[in-house]
Amino acid sequence: WMATRLDGISRKGRVEMALKVVALDPGYGSTKSAFNKKAALIQTAVSRVRDMGMSTIGMRSAGRHAHIVTVGEDTFSVGEGAWYKGDLSNTLDYASIISPARMAVFYATLAQIAEPQDFTEPVFLVVGLPVALLESSEADAVVDSLRKLKREHAFTVDGKDYKFTVERIRKFAQPVGAYFNYFYDENLKMRPGVKGKEVAVLDCGFNTLDLYAIIDSEVMDTYVGGADVGVKLLIESIHKNGHSICELDSRLRGGTLKPTSEQLTEWVGKIMGNIKTRDERNIDFKRFDVVLPVGGGVVVAGDKLRDALLARGANVHWSDDPILDNVNGFLKWGLRSLSN
């Protein structure tokens, strides 16, 4: 599933139907969506809403900030505080990406940037998938299962009814989105000076670190890989007190769970130690014209990661919003592919 050519733009001159482009980056820490030049994210925390009857009368819910999503007969609580509304349905199982619970998180995220009346045309869905998944024995089954998303989607988010039909789907490895975001400007034109450059994307998410190197929209197979050294590893080293990993992740985001400088240094050391080629050789960052650190882990690691990369000779391009780079890039690619 690591397609050699990434641009995928039709040059056959056929007339395309009118489509709305929606981008989806279903991360294990945060689910990101982009639509109509806007992007949003919600913590990937989801539970089935528990019927409490009248037992909470006179009390305010601790989970009141979570979004309520109804799909058919199922009602889910999504985002921060979902753990207060019912038992969490979160799983790191790759096959869960299109489960009803994970789809509810996608719907809640999309509803932050789209109104029901926006979907007057069918949807072209561009999806980013983890490199670790695409290298696993589950890849064929999971990627094939995405075909089930080509259907009508009807759901309610916080009282608003949405309905759209997915007409077309395109899949990429998640770090490819960051490359597209770097390669194309806001007008979907190639940025000056990027042609011919070797670009290495380091995508540090909740569960994994992914390395993905590209030159002129072509994958450099030698420099594709990953390891389970994402933010989850840091959280587990800080605090284990009976709270779910989602709750601890929320506290880390909110600043109430703070790693020490020593804990951050140790974690960044594990990240750097796992950036290797497919045959387990250490990477010489000097060979790349640009290194793009992206993902939520990049925000957490901050200057410690930047300094470690610079010390290894990397020409680091640190974006303004590394968490949304992947999904913004997928939106650009989708819009550009339709315009061509």
Side-chain angles (χ1 to χ4, degrees), residues 326-337:
N326 288 346
V327 77
N328 279 327
F330 291 137
L331 181 66
K332 287 180 179 179
W333 181 90
L335 292 170
R336 190 173 187 277
S337 67

Side-chain angles (χ1 to χ4, degrees), residues 259-267 304:
T260 65
S261 178
E262 291 75 17
Q263 288 169 329
L264 276 176
T265 298
E266 181 180 356
W267 176 52
K304 286 187 180 292

